[in-house]
Amino acid sequence: DDGVVVVGAGHGGLSCALALREEGWSGPVTLIGDEPHPPYDRPPLSKRVLVDPASAGSITLADGESLARSEIRLVSGRVERIDRAARKVLLVDGTRRGYDHLVLATGAVPRTLPDGLPGARAVGVQPIRTLDDALAVAALLEDSDDVVVLGGGFIGVEAAAAIAISGRRVTLLEKLDALLPRVAPQPLADWVAAHLAGLGVDVRTSTIATAVETDASGRVTAVRDSAGGRHAARLVVLGLGALPASGLAEAAGLRVDGGIVVDGQLATADPQVSAIGDCAVQIRGDGSRHRYESVQAAQDQGRHVARRLVHPATAPYDEVPWFWSDIGPSTVQLAGRMDLARRTVVRGGPGSGSFSLFGYDGEALVGVAAVDRPRDYLAGRTLLRKGRSLPATVVADESADLRALAR
Ligand code: FAD
């Protein structure tokens, strides 16, 4: 019996394993990860690591030895099947692990280009999800003066900024008519586009790749787009989003609907199986759906499951989601649900490179986004956590001390 078995040694899995010990869980804890590296910090991959691969040496979060000191067994391998009736997981190498409780923390899998797109599998077409992906990008960058980034989500814009700053020519194509689609309110999306342009990135919205051209060796040479453009490229970075890694759960008969479905306690319909982080979608009692791809969500959910296993009466999980991104020299922070905002109040000037946006649905504050304005962001996050709002007129007044008002 391997006690609590956690599948996936990323941000969520690691935090769950560590929190089990902090909460006083005395049984065995087994953390199974399929990457050839001990648990590491994922956000730097699309920011620093791809242009400074040596920095990968400093992103390790825990290694086998430090985990062993907390009596957490780190197992290297890929789980290929769950036998819920026998309460066992089967690894690709043929070993089996029995569990009292199973935590699925398998993360997400990056979207790739459609198979039918010419050159979709060319050498030099590379997503960024894992450390090995980021190191592959770094290696390709060595002989790439021209780079195309496909997708204007956070990973795409971060990578475009970092690569442009390193001196390469970068073109970014985004299918929709604005960057950071669905997550950023218009003033933020506009600022990101202007910021990238200022760093030298050629940003083209409402444009998709239609073909990847290659040389005789199969390496990418250019990308053709839907607007008739042709962009030289020796490297194509894919920032097309990611899909929840829910295959294991689905094959085990657990409900999957845009993620492994979990309830307010992050439990699946099988009380012996929980799911956390990018692979999970929480459907709360009121029917609302919650799935956030962020370090905070994965870690907080990992801690929640640990707490609930030790203290079954723990209140349901309802943390306010938050997220940050470094786009070149600027830091963007978001909290709450900007996607639900019907009206946005701006503090400061986007032109000055430091501003914040408070999103309202009626009188209720639903989200905050800030560029290099940590004080406004923290005030907004505090208000959201407390379920409080401030009148839009107060927020719009630059002289108002929001931190004091949020306290
Ligand atoms: P992951 O951290 O992805 O961990 C899942 C692990 O499970 C992986 O190691 C995977 O290989 C492993 N696994 C999957 N299936 C199996 C199996 N069958 N057997 C064994 N192991 C398995 N968030 C932020 O908040 N801020 C940022 O700036 C930010 N930047 C990001 C930059 C990049 C390039 C990426 C990819 C993500 C970024 N994110 C950022 C998102 C954040 O990293 C994720 O939301 C977070 O890592 C989710 O944690 P997780 O534990 O759910 O999944």
Side-chain angles (χ1 to χ4, degrees):
D1 174 9
D2 295 280
V4 178
V5 170
V6 183
V7 184
H11 283 284
L14 176 65
S15 116
C16 186
L18 292 172
L20 279 163
R21 288 293 176 242
E22 282 157 24
E23 295 289 342
W25 179 267
S26 55
V29 176
T30 306
L31 180 61
I32 307 177
D34 66 351
E35 292 191 60
H37 309 280
Y40 60 85
D41 196 20
R42 214 167 281 286
L45 300 184
S46 49
K47 304 169 179 71
R48 206 170 68 233
V49 175
L50 74 181
V51 289
D52 176 14
S55 67
S58 61
I59 64 171
T60 303
L61 295 175
D63 58 20
E65 249 174 61
S66 69
L67 290 170
R69 281 196 293 278
S70 303
E71 292 186 57
I72 295 166
R73 192 180 318 145
L74 180 62
V75 173
S76 176
R78 183 167 177 80
V79 172
E80 69 173 0
R81 201 163 63 79
I82 302 166
D83 181 345
R84 290 198 289 130
R87 288 197 195 166
K88 284 187 190 327
V89 295
L90 179 72
L91 278 75
V92 171
D93 65 9
T95 55
R96 281 163 204 276
R97 304 263 168 188
Y99 63 81
D100 296 327
H101 194 88
L102 179 66
V103 180
L104 298 174
T106 46
V109 181
R111 279 181 206 270
T112 52
L113 289 170
D115 278 330
L117 189 126
R121 306 284 170 264
V123 178
V125 176
Q126 183 64 55
I128 311 177
R129 178 74 202 182
T130 63
L131 174 52
D132 286 349
D133 289 338
L135 295 176
V137 169
L140 289 159
L141 264 179
E142 280 179 18
D143 64 353
S144 302
D145 293 328
D146 298 284
V147 177
V148 168
V149 176
L150 299 180
F154 277 109
I155 290 176
V157 302
E158 289 173 353
I163 294 170
I165 290 169
S166 78
R168 278 86 171 183
R169 283 180 294 272
V170 182
T171 305
L172 184 150
L173 308 184
E174 162 55 45
K175 177 169 75 172
L176 299 182
D177 61 2
L179 297 179
L180 306 181
R182 289 177 289 272
V183 288
Q186 196 64 43
L188 178 59
D190 291 344
W191 174 84
V192 172
H195 180 58
L196 285 184
L199 295 172
V201 179
D202 181 358
V203 176
R204 306 200 177 195
T205 50
S206 305
T207 309
I208 58 168
T210 50
V212 175
E213 296 179 359
T214 53
D215 60 17
S217 73
R219 171 96 178 256
V220 52
T221 52
V223 173
R224 288 195 179 273
D225 74 29
S226 52
R230 181 177 181 280
H231 313 283
R234 296 296 277 164
L235 164 65
V236 176
V237 175
L238 301 182
L240 302 173
L243 299 169
S246 50
L248 267 184
E250 195 163 17
L254 294 166
R255 188 172 155 223
V256 168
D257 174 9
I260 304 168
V261 175
V262 292
D263 63 14
Q265 289 293 356
L266 310 177
T268 67
D270 179 338
Q272 255 60 53
V273 185
S274 301
I276 57 173
D278 284 12
C279 69
V281 58
Q282 186 194 28
I283 302 185
R284 294 189 184 158
D286 61 3
S288 60
R289 298 170 58 92
H290 302 264
R291 178 175 178 271
Y292 308 105
E293 292 182 354
S294 82
V295 168
Q296 166 270 331
Q299 290 183 333
D300 283 353
Q301 291 175 12
R303 278 191 285 267
H304 179 88
V305 168
R307 203 174 308 130
R308 190 241 300 156
L309 290 177
V310 179
H311 311 287
T314 296
Y317 178 83
D318 70 345
E319 292 291 331
V320 169
W322 57 265
F323 180 84
W324 83 97
S325 168
D326 295 321
I327 306 173
S330 301
T331 297
V332 176
Q333 294 170 291
L334 289 131
R337 296 288 303 270
M338 262 328 222
D339 55 319
L340 302 180
R342 291 169 184 272
R343 190 164 54 108
T344 309
V345 175
V346 186
R347 273 170 74 84
S352 73
S354 159
F355 65 100
S356 58
L357 303 165
F358 284 71
Y360 288 86
D361 181 5
E363 298 302 309
L365 181 69
V366 292
V368 59
V371 175
D372 289 332
R373 278 225 168 192
R375 289 174 64 84
D376 285 5
Y377 164 74
L378 284 174
R381 209 175 98 190
T382 304
L383 290 166
L384 291 164
R385 272 213 180 118
K386 293 182 174 174
R388 284 179 51 207
S389 193
L390 284 176
T393 46
V394 173
V395 167
D397 175 3
E398 271 264 41
S399 65
D401 182 349
L402 296 190
R403 294 228 27 216
L405 292 168
R407 241 174 249 137

